Amino acid sequence: DHRDLHVRSRRQRQMCIRDRSTAITNLYLNSIAAGEMSIEEGLNAAADELYNLLNKAGKKTSKLPPL
């Protein structure tokens, strides 16, 4: 059934977005913990990258102001 394919495709896309956002968050948190960047730099960079990821996926969201 066409609807089943649509539901599976949508679920797979949502899982991909979730996994990618977790990886982005972990990457920047690890960089902050290692002292490679300040907390503000890391959180701002993560917020920008997450915003771009969601925008590219067609999700409507607003951008957070920098810290």
Side-chain angles (χ1 to χ4, degrees):
D1 186 324
H2 172 356
R3 289 174 295 194
D4 290 339
L5 180 60
H6 176 72
V7 169
R8 264 186 263 133
S9 175
R10 178 183 166 102
R11 188 175 0 180
Q12 186 175 13
R13 186 172 59 247
Q14 288 172 336
M15 289 184 334
C16 182
I17 292 169
R18 183 201 63 214
D19 293 346
R20 183 100 189 269
S21 64
T22 300
I24 290 168
T25 304
N26 287 339
L27 173 72
Y28 286 105
L29 289 176
N30 287 334
S31 293
I32 292 166
E36 297 169 356
M37 57 178 48
S38 71
I39 293 171
E40 291 83 5
E41 289 172 329
L43 293 177
N44 288 333
D48 286 342
E49 204 164 331
L50 291 168
Y51 173 78
N52 291 335
L53 171 69
L54 292 170
N55 237 7
K56 186 176 178 182
K59 305 293 182 186
K60 300 293 181 202
T61 184
S62 58
K63 191 168 186 176
L64 293 172
L67 299 175

